[in-house]
Amino acid sequence: MDLNQLSLQYKNELLDRVIPFWLNQSQDKEYGGYFTCLDREGNVFDTDKFIWLQGRQVWMFSMLYNKVEKNPLWLECARQGGEFLRKYGHDGNLNWYFSLTREGKPLIEPYNIFSYTFATMAFGQLSLATGNSEYADLARKTFDIVLSKTANPKGKWNKAYPGTRNLKNFALPMILCNLSIEIEHLLDKAFLQETIDTCIHEVMDNFYRPDLGIVVENITDGNELSDTFEGRLLNPGHAIEAMWFIMDLGQRLGKPDLIAKAAKIAVDMVEYGWDPVYGGIYYYLDRKGHPPQQLEWDQKLWWVHIETLISMAKGYQLTGSEDCLAWFKKVHAYTWEHFRDNEFPEWYGYQNRRCEVILPLKGGKWKGCFHVPRGLYQVWKTLEKRDQ
Amino acid sequence: MDLNQLSLQYKNELLDRVIPFWLNQSQDKEYGGYFTCLDREGNVFDTDKFIWLQGRQVWMFSMLYNKVEKNPLWLECARQGGEFLRKYGHDGNLNWYFSLTREGKPLIEPYNIFSYTFATMAFGQLSLATGNSEYADLARKTFDIVLSKTANPKGKWNKAYPGTRNLKNFALPMILCNLSIEIEHLLDKAFLQETIDTCIHEVMDNFYRPDLGIVVENITDGNELSDTFEGRLLNPGHAIEAMWFIMDLGQRLGKPDLIAKAAKIAVDMVEYGWDPVYGGIYYYLDRKGHPPQQLEWDQKLWWVHIETLISMAKGYQLTGSEDCLAWFKKVHAYTWEHFRDNEFPEWYGYQNRRCEVILPLKGGKWKGCFHVPRGLYQVWKTLEKRDQ
């Protein structure tokens, strides 16, 4: 396997097939922002606008502009989406809605903390691309709100009765690992260091359970395991994705031990999550082997496999782990065979356990211009062995 | 096909295999109430208690006691569950939680209107079984609260931004069709008539769309179709189940035209929802053929097929429809082949599109002592051609 050749394969897929798809098919030239509900060929089948995906696409095109090429079409795509988000995405006090109508009217209230985190990512990169200090302010202020909400991210929409079973979820500390270095240029150094230390501690000392060798999705507020549906839940893709965020932090902080530990955990989670019968990584598992709540538990999702490629590529590049290389090869073959659409651009997102397409869309409510292009970019750059 | 023989098959399955399963495996002798998370063999794998399922099991055992046999074990099973529900199920003001811990501490807040409707059903039947007027009061007062919440069933947990897209959902009027005659003995006659008229109007004139020949899950508050994820959503099982509620109302009101219309709609929805490749009825569809949001859309669920058996049996018994009979035979063969567990009692709940078991449980967060035994009872009695 020629890694330079592979690197080029990821680069070409990104620049020749995936980015043109979003640039040409998703921009709403009339109202601004992006359509993300796109069928197999790229036709719009629904016009609602989801803040997660609006923010992620602003981030994606800004990042490519900042790191790959000063393409004015990319900048304009990012800028117009950023303007739509700035005008309509929040309630005036940076409480970011979950979704909007095509025209920008609020549809779903700001109950979801990740609308805030992806708005932060978006305006962080867009401020770098444009030099516009208003965007930098939006990112910094929204990040402060995210941190103020960590104890109860859903606020008044939280349906858990207070005090009976206080669980905390893996997703927020995991995302903060990535977000803190994403907007490093906007943060005070001491504050950045403190935030990073907290996230690493949460992920590696609390949600990772060395006795079980796995990362769990929910633990008690006293950092104990919980023998409940939520407490038994595993999301291997989440855990594996978090490990490349940790490897990035390890590089940033010069901590090879942290990188090696993250690479090892990532391999363990791929092995744990791999379906020995049909291949691919399960979406959800119960750590005690009980039936999970999620009916979609055995499905194979695009992002799980793409994030695994990033973690295995980084693990190999940074530590030389042969396990990472072997899993990279195996998941690469599986992912390109099952998720890439050889006839039309962009990739499929949702397969059943047998890796048959169950939703023939290229974008929807949760799949947008994010995991596929970010993954192609990350693997391209990692296999090139350049700095990210 | 000998319908008397079939009737006996349903009766024996109910009384010899399904009811003993719940009677013996689900009762919590220490704290009261019922365990519903039971694996294939009936072992408890999680002890949380879900108000939907607590209420439904109280109803089931009370109903069997009232209509089948004065079995003291059934009455005691209903009574102890009713006491657990009365003591711990609500906040003191008949706001019914969604779930509790094993001991009865509130876990999830009263955001879900169906916790209220199933509590009403439970105490309505239990009041008949016991003659206890306190239970009758609980049912009547909770029913009043349900009706007061129809405009915004989720209350403060509603995440829809007010005014942008006001949709109403099929499930509540559908359940009220059934619930109003369930607690008929507790209601004022004029009020009952008005409630029934409103429900029938909502279901048959608003959610049923004669131009499309289908029942949709969500419409605007002005009774228009909505070209959105929610507005395009179809849940064939829901629509088919509602049609036997309507047939029951048609019998109650002496309206053969209403019965014939409901039987015809039920057949249309079975035909619409049937999977021509692997058989069985899809869980969700998009009426325009776009990808639905639900990743589980192509799965085959037990309740969909059992409710279809009831509707087809009633449609045939009440109207003589040959279509109903033909579909009854087809769905009967499919359901008994795929959902019945021939080795251990009770039935499987969750199959993938190919009708392979994906969750080998007999009960969980949503599957309890309800659709299987209610369906067996209804088909038994319908095929016997006795009054229900």
Side-chain angles (χ1 to χ4, degrees):
Chain A
M1 192 178 248
D2 178 339
L3 294 187
N4 286 325
Q5 188 56 41
L6 262 186
S7 171
L8 199 62
Q9 179 181 333
Y10 281 82
K11 176 185 177 183
N12 292 341
E13 182 73 8
L14 174 70
L15 300 180
D16 299 345
R17 293 182 97 240
V18 172
I19 288 304
F21 175 88
W22 294 101
L23 198 62
N24 299 330
Q25 306 295 131
S26 79
Q27 293 194 76
D28 183 349
K29 302 285 187 181
E30 199 173 338
Y31 290 95
Y34 318 108
F35 300 118
T36 63
C37 296
L38 302 169
D39 70 14
R40 186 182 170 198
E41 300 179 32
N43 304 303
V44 178
F45 68 87
D46 195 276
T47 60
D48 284 353
K49 290 174 179 164
F50 305 96
I51 300 300
W52 279 36
L53 302 192
Q54 301 293 310
R56 284 169 155 192
Q57 187 158 349
V58 171
W59 175 83
M60 190 71 221
F61 277 91
S62 302
M63 189 279 281
L64 291 175
Y65 181 83
N66 292 333
K67 298 197 176 169
V68 175
E69 181 194 318
K70 294 283 172 282
N71 182 330
L73 292 175
W74 295 354
L75 181 62
E76 176 49 23
C77 178
R79 198 206 52 77
Q80 71 84 357
E83 279 300 296
F84 183 84
L85 205 51
R86 183 184 66 77
K87 279 188 240 167
Y88 305 116
H90 62 97
D91 67 353
N93 292 309
L94 302 185
N95 292 304
W96 297 86
Y97 296 116
F98 181 75
S99 63
L100 312 172
T101 63
R102 181 182 175 187
E103 308 83 47
K105 288 190 205 149
L107 267 176
I108 301 291
E109 299 269 21
Y111 79 94
N112 189 298
I113 190 75
F114 302 103
S115 304
Y116 296 63
T117 62
F118 299 127
T120 304
M121 264 178 93
F123 288 110
Q125 278 292 330
L126 188 61
S127 74
L128 283 176
T130 59
N132 183 330
S133 65
E134 194 186 349
Y135 296 147
D137 271 359
L138 282 172
R140 200 164 19 219
K141 286 179 182 162
T142 301
F143 188 66
D144 284 344
I145 298 174
V146 169
L147 294 182
S148 77
K149 289 164 92 70
T150 51
N152 183 18
K154 289 187 188 164
K156 68 171 178 166
W157 293 281
N158 186 356
K159 293 185 285 200
Y161 187 88
T164 306
R165 181 183 294 161
N166 295 334
L167 296 179
K168 53 184 186 179
N169 182 266
F170 179 63
L172 187 53
M174 162 196 163
I175 291 289
L176 290 176
C177 284
N178 180 243
L179 192 55
S180 53
I181 47 174
E182 262 294 323
I183 59 158
E184 182 173 353
H185 58 289
L186 302 175
L187 301 179
D188 167 78
K189 290 239 174 304
F191 177 69
L192 173 71
Q193 188 62 50
E194 188 194 315
T195 306
I196 288 176
D197 289 348
T198 305
C199 298
I200 294 176
H201 175 65
E202 278 292 274
V203 169
M204 302 301 274
D205 300 328
N206 292 334
F207 286 94
Y208 173 64
R209 313 299 297 193
D211 45 332
L212 304 175
I214 50 178
V215 176
V216 298
E217 277 294 290
N218 297 286
I219 53 177
T220 71
D221 55 2
N223 300 314
E224 300 292 328
L225 290 170
S226 168
D227 188 5
T228 60
F229 279 106
E230 294 76 14
R232 291 189 300 268
L233 187 68
L234 305 182
N235 181 329
H238 246 182
I240 296 162
E241 180 180 1
M243 290 307 118
W244 75 257
F245 297 166
I246 296 286
M247 288 187 244
D248 277 3
L249 286 173
Q251 280 193 282
R252 168 74 182 62
L253 303 171
K255 292 189 170 178
D257 288 358
L258 183 63
I259 296 173
K261 185 178 175 188
K264 174 71 169 63
I265 294 173
V267 166
D268 289 348
M269 288 302 295
V270 180
E271 281 171 0
Y272 196 103
W274 188 258
D275 176 355
V277 180
Y278 297 104
I281 298 162
Y282 291 120
Y283 190 9
Y284 291 109
L285 291 166
D286 179 294
R287 65 181 168 80
K288 295 191 139 186
H290 297 315
Q293 289 184 67
Q294 290 78 5
L295 301 189
E296 66 273 30
W297 73 273
D298 70 353
Q299 295 181 6
K300 311 291 167 65
L301 269 67
W302 85 108
W303 68 265
V304 171
H305 297 82
I306 288 163
E307 296 302 320
T308 300
L309 289 170
I310 303 173
S311 279
M312 294 302 105
K314 288 191 189 246
Y316 176 64
Q317 185 219 329
L318 296 170
T319 74
S321 157
E322 288 296 324
D323 287 339
C324 285
L325 181 62
W327 274 111
F328 178 83
K329 290 178 181 173
K330 189 165 176 172
V331 178
H332 166 83
Y334 177 90
T335 305
W336 283 74
E337 179 187 343
H338 293 293
F339 288 101
R340 186 177 193 267
D341 180 353
N342 294 323
E343 200 170 336
F344 297 98
E346 247 288 342
W347 292 19
Y348 293 120
Y350 302 93
Q351 324 272 17
N352 63 19
R353 187 177 169 192
R354 292 174 195 247
C355 329
E356 296 161 333
V357 175
I358 54 167
L359 295 177
L361 54 75
K362 296 300 172 55
K365 182 174 174 179
W366 304 101
K367 183 177 189 287
C369 177
F370 190 63
H371 287 287
V372 172
R374 184 178 74 168
L376 294 170
Y377 170 80
Q378 284 284 349
V379 176
W380 158 28
K381 291 293 173 181
T382 301
L383 296 185
E384 256 189 0
K385 305 204 185 189
R386 289 187 199 150
D387 285 342
Q388 265 101 92
Chain B
M1 194 177 248
D2 178 340
L3 294 186
N4 285 326
Q5 189 56 41
L6 262 185
S7 171
L8 199 62
Q9 179 180 335
Y10 281 81
K11 176 184 177 184
N12 292 341
E13 183 73 8
L14 175 70
L15 300 180
D16 299 344
R17 293 183 97 240
V18 173
I19 287 304
F21 175 88
W22 293 102
L23 198 62
N24 299 328
Q25 306 295 132
S26 79
Q27 294 193 75
D28 183 348
K29 302 284 185 181
E30 197 172 340
Y31 290 95
Y34 317 107
F35 301 118
T36 63
C37 296
L38 302 169
D39 70 13
R40 186 181 170 198
E41 300 179 31
N43 303 303
V44 178
F45 68 87
D46 194 276
T47 59
D48 283 353
K49 291 174 179 164
F50 305 96
I51 300 301
W52 280 36
L53 302 192
Q54 301 294 309
R56 285 169 156 192
Q57 187 158 350
V58 171
W59 175 84
M60 190 70 222
F61 277 90
S62 301
M63 189 278 281
L64 290 175
Y65 182 82
N66 292 332
K67 299 198 177 170
V68 175
E69 181 193 318
K70 293 282 172 282
N71 183 329
L73 292 176
W74 295 354
L75 180 63
E76 177 49 23
C77 178
R79 198 206 53 78
Q80 71 84 357
E83 279 300 294
F84 183 83
L85 206 50
R86 184 184 67 76
K87 279 188 238 165
Y88 305 116
H90 63 97
D91 67 353
N93 292 309
L94 303 185
N95 293 303
W96 298 86
Y97 296 117
F98 180 75
S99 63
L100 311 173
T101 63
R102 180 181 176 188
E103 308 83 46
K105 288 190 205 148
L107 267 177
I108 301 291
E109 299 269 22
Y111 79 96
N112 189 297
I113 191 76
F114 302 104
S115 304
Y116 297 63
T117 62
F118 299 126
T120 305
M121 263 178 95
F123 288 111
Q125 278 292 331
L126 188 61
S127 74
L128 283 177
T130 59
N132 183 329
S133 65
E134 193 186 350
Y135 296 146
D137 272 357
L138 281 172
R140 199 164 19 217
K141 287 179 182 162
T142 301
F143 188 65
D144 284 344
I145 298 174
V146 169
L147 295 181
S148 77
K149 288 164 93 71
T150 51
N152 183 17
K154 289 187 188 163
K156 69 171 177 166
W157 293 280
N158 185 356
K159 292 185 285 199
Y161 188 89
T164 304
R165 181 184 293 160
N166 296 334
L167 296 178
K168 53 184 185 179
N169 181 266
F170 179 64
L172 187 53
M174 162 197 164
I175 291 289
L176 289 177
C177 285
N178 179 242
L179 192 55
S180 54
I181 46 174
E182 262 294 324
I183 59 158
E184 182 174 354
H185 58 289
L186 302 175
L187 300 180
D188 167 78
K189 289 238 175 305
F191 177 68
L192 173 71
Q193 189 60 51
E194 187 194 317
T195 307
I196 288 176
D197 288 348
T198 305
C199 298
I200 293 176
H201 175 64
E202 278 292 273
V203 169
M204 301 302 274
D205 301 328
N206 292 332
F207 286 94
Y208 173 62
R209 313 300 296 192
D211 46 332
L212 304 175
I214 50 178
V215 175
V216 298
E217 277 293 290
N218 297 285
I219 53 177
T220 71
D221 55 2
N223 300 316
E224 301 292 328
L225 291 170
S226 169
D227 188 5
T228 60
F229 279 107
E230 292 78 13
R232 292 189 300 268
L233 188 67
L234 305 181
N235 182 329
H238 247 182
I240 296 162
E241 179 179 0
M243 291 306 117
W244 75 257
F245 297 167
I246 296 287
M247 288 187 245
D248 278 3
L249 286 172
Q251 280 192 281
R252 168 74 184 62
L253 303 171
K255 291 190 171 175
D257 288 358
L258 183 64
I259 295 172
K261 186 177 174 188
K264 173 71 168 65
I265 293 173
V267 166
D268 289 348
M269 288 302 294
V270 180
E271 281 171 0
Y272 196 101
W274 188 258
D275 175 356
V277 180
Y278 297 104
I281 297 162
Y282 290 119
Y283 190 9
Y284 292 109
L285 291 166
D286 180 295
R287 66 180 167 79
K288 296 192 137 185
H290 298 314
Q293 289 184 69
Q294 290 78 4
L295 300 188
E296 65 274 28
W297 73 272
D298 70 354
Q299 295 181 5
K300 311 291 166 66
L301 269 66
W302 86 107
W303 68 265
V304 171
H305 297 81
I306 288 163
E307 297 302 320
T308 300
L309 290 171
I310 303 173
S311 279
M312 295 301 106
K314 289 192 188 246
Y316 176 64
Q317 185 219 330
L318 296 169
T319 73
S321 158
E322 288 297 324
D323 286 341
C324 286
L325 181 62
W327 274 111
F328 178 82
K329 290 178 181 173
K330 189 165 177 172
V331 177
H332 167 83
Y334 177 90
T335 304
W336 283 73
E337 179 187 344
H338 293 293
F339 288 100
R340 185 176 194 268
D341 180 352
N342 294 323
E343 199 169 338
F344 297 98
E346 246 289 342
W347 291 19
Y348 293 120
Y350 301 92
Q351 324 272 18
N352 65 18
R353 188 177 169 191
R354 293 174 193 246
C355 330
E356 296 161 332
V357 175
I358 54 167
L359 295 177
L361 53 76
K362 296 298 172 57
K365 182 174 173 179
W366 304 102
K367 183 176 189 290
C369 177
F370 191 63
H371 287 286
V372 172
R374 184 177 74 169
L376 294 170
Y377 170 80
Q378 285 285 348
V379 175
W380 158 29
K381 290 293 172 181
T382 301
L383 295 185
E384 256 190 2
K385 305 203 186 190
R386 291 189 198 148
D387 286 341
Q388 266 100 94

